[in-house]
Amino acid sequence: MRIGVLTGGGDCPGLNAVIRAVVLTGANRYGDEVLGFLDGWRGVLEDRAQEMVPERCQDLLPLGGTVLGTSRTNPYATPDGPGKVKATLAARSIDAVVAIGGDDTLGVASKLGAEGVALVGVPKTIDNDLSATEVTFGFDTAVQIATEAIDRLRTTAESHHRVIVCEVMGRHAGWIAAEAGIAGGAAEILVPEVPFDLKDVCERLARRHRRGRYSSIVVVSEGALPADGEDLERARAATSSTSVDQFGHVRLGGIGAWLAEEIERCTGYESRVTILGHIQRGGTPTAFDRVLATRFGVAAMRAVHDGDFGTMVALQAGEIVRVPFEAAVGISKVLDRRLLDEVAAPFLG
Ligand code: F6P
């Protein structure tokens, strides 16, 4: 067969490991040819691609980012986008496409699948908020990076008796904040799923201070906000951006700085902010993510050769399974509250 592969959305450690698995499984097990489309759906729209021969995969396993490039291009927000996609696939004699991406990329795959395009999806996002899979590759690496950062922030916070707010990624879901916060022993973990009360946060920090704990790490997801009221309005004003991508997502960022300022104002404790940002997405994937990415890539090629299109490979109870796109896209996998209420709670404050 002749298979197309693409990576869309935010980059993520492990993307190259999936590409490698797709190319080598295709070549070595099935005798396939694999064509890599460049920059996600944009490369398909613009007919930009490169042949992915096995030799191209030699150094890919530990490499961060994606050698195919990526973009947040939405063919359904482009005039005659789906028509152009189909025309490129026909012109390139592509029998099936492996689309590696998160909710947006796989949402496009789902719609194209309904229009008759043969597609299999591979779930990707450091945010870990994609439904139907227990975990996505990239998440483990992001948590590891954030935890190492928190460990470093702790020693400087302790030396200066400061509060340090660490802003991590997580647009709608607090998975990174919760896991890195637990692993790093944070005093506060603030996530999008649980609007916070600024006064309560400050009161807990003050209580901690009275117990002789003069430094605190506050981990906050970029998408976290205060509960209703004046604080919410002020936080929104401080963090709002007018920049929107083709899928309608605003660019987030700024809650950490706002929070650090508010904490200092309300408690009098010297406070600082560190925004981890894209450091969490860069660099080499952990061993866990390399293995998961490889398993997903191999399983996607098996699905292609079984003709099981319109599906996404997923991790469930340790096994790689296939689920229909509809089970995964458009449904955000929110944080398991037990992580906060049961695991983190005894150690907070
Ligand atoms: O891919 C998910 C994510 O990392 C979010 O956590 C974050 O809000 C967003 O991407 C940032 O996207 P960009 O790199 O396009 O600014």
Side-chain angles (χ1 to χ4, degrees), residues 229-253:
E230 197 200 318
D231 287 341
L232 176 61
E233 275 168 39
R234 289 191 306 116
R236 278 219 175 105
T239 59
S240 66
S241 157
T242 48
S243 175
V244 176
D245 69 21
Q246 282 200 334
F247 291 92
H249 303 303
V250 290
R251 193 178 298 165
L252 292 181

Side-chain angles (χ1 to χ4, degrees), residues 130-152:
L130 209 66
S131 285
T133 184
E134 276 161 18
V135 71
T136 42
F137 65 88
F139 172 64
D140 185 68
T141 307
V143 169
Q144 184 64 32
I145 292 168
T147 302
E148 282 166 17
I150 292 168
D151 289 346
R152 287 172 190 278

Side-chain angles (χ1 to χ4, degrees), residues 103-187:
D103 198 53
D104 297 331
T105 304
L106 299 184
V108 170
S110 177
K111 285 185 191 163
L112 288 168
E115 294 189 39
V117 180
L119 285 137
V120 169
V122 175
K124 167 251 46 155
T125 163
I126 65 158
D127 289 2
N128 195 34
D129 59 354
L130 209 66
S131 285
T133 184
E134 276 161 18
V135 71
T136 42
F137 65 88
F139 172 64
D140 185 68
T141 307
V143 169
Q144 184 64 32
I145 292 168
T147 302
E148 282 166 17
I150 292 168
D151 289 346
R152 287 172 190 278
L153 292 174
R154 172 183 303 286
T155 59
T156 172
E158 280 173 1
S159 304
H160 288 267
H161 318 296
R162 282 175 176 161
V163 174
I164 296 193
V165 177
C166 178
E167 182 182 309
V168 298
M169 280 189 168
R171 205 194 281 277
H172 306 295
W175 291 99
I176 297 176
E179 294 216 354
I182 291 168

Side-chain angles (χ1 to χ4, degrees), residues 8-294:
D11 74 329
C12 171
L15 281 169
N16 285 321
V18 182
I19 295 167
R20 170 181 175 270
V22 165
V23 173
L24 296 185
T25 305
N28 299 340
R29 185 173 290 169
Y30 300 108
D32 292 335
E33 287 173 359
V34 177
L35 184 73
F37 286 103
L38 303 178
D39 302 332
W41 291 116
R42 190 195 298 161
V44 191
L45 288 172
E46 297 172 358
D47 191 16
R48 289 187 296 110
Q50 65 187 36
E51 297 294 335
M52 293 300 290
V53 291
E55 296 70 43
R56 185 80 184 75
C57 298
Q58 261 163 19
D59 303 317
L60 289 195
L61 187 56
L63 190 66
T66 161
V67 288
L68 292 177
T70 186
S71 71
R72 296 192 185 275
T73 303
N74 181 358
Y76 285 90
T78 310
D80 192 30
K84 286 181 184 157
V85 167
K86 288 181 209 163
T88 300
L89 298 181
R92 296 280 196 160
S93 306
I94 297 297
D95 299 304
V97 175
V98 175
I100 311 166
D103 198 53
D104 297 331
T105 304
L106 299 184
V108 170
S110 177
K111 285 185 191 163
L112 288 168
E115 294 189 39
V117 180
L119 285 137
V120 169
V122 175
K124 167 251 46 155
T125 163
I126 65 158
D127 289 2
N128 195 34
D129 59 354
L130 209 66
S131 285
T133 184
E134 276 161 18
V135 71
T136 42
F137 65 88
F139 172 64
D140 185 68
T141 307
V143 169
Q144 184 64 32
I145 292 168
T147 302
E148 282 166 17
I150 292 168
D151 289 346
R152 287 172 190 278
L153 292 174
R154 172 183 303 286
T155 59
T156 172
E158 280 173 1
S159 304
H160 288 267
H161 318 296
R162 282 175 176 161
V163 174
I164 296 193
V165 177
C166 178
E167 182 182 309
V168 298
M169 280 189 168
R171 205 194 281 277
H172 306 295
W175 291 99
I176 297 176
E179 294 216 354
I182 291 168
E188 290 287 328
I189 300 174
L190 307 176
V191 298
E193 293 90 337
V194 189
F196 61 87
D197 185 309
L198 182 61
K199 277 201 203 75
D200 289 349
V201 171
C202 292
E203 178 45 38
R204 285 193 297 267
L205 292 173
R207 233 186 293 147
R208 189 176 153 84
H209 219 250
R210 290 197 290 273
R211 289 202 317 270
R213 300 299 308 272
Y214 301 124
S215 69
S216 301
I217 301 292
V218 175
V219 179
V220 61
S221 306
E222 60 184 354
L225 281 170
D228 290 348
E230 197 200 318
D231 287 341
L232 176 61
E233 275 168 39
R234 289 191 306 116
R236 278 219 175 105
T239 59
S240 66
S241 157
T242 48
S243 175
V244 176
D245 69 21
Q246 282 200 334
F247 291 92
H249 303 303
V250 290
R251 193 178 298 165
L252 292 181
I255 190 66
W258 181 81
L259 199 56
E261 234 172 73
E262 292 297 318
I263 288 172
E264 183 164 307
R265 194 179 53 79
C266 141
T267 62
Y269 310 146
E270 202 183 358
S271 304
R272 294 287 190 273
V273 61
T274 294
I275 301 173
L276 295 188
H278 293 84
I279 287 173
Q280 294 157 97
R281 285 206 329 226
T284 189
T286 58
F288 178 88
D289 280 336
R290 294 181 202 188
V291 174
L292 182 61
T294 302

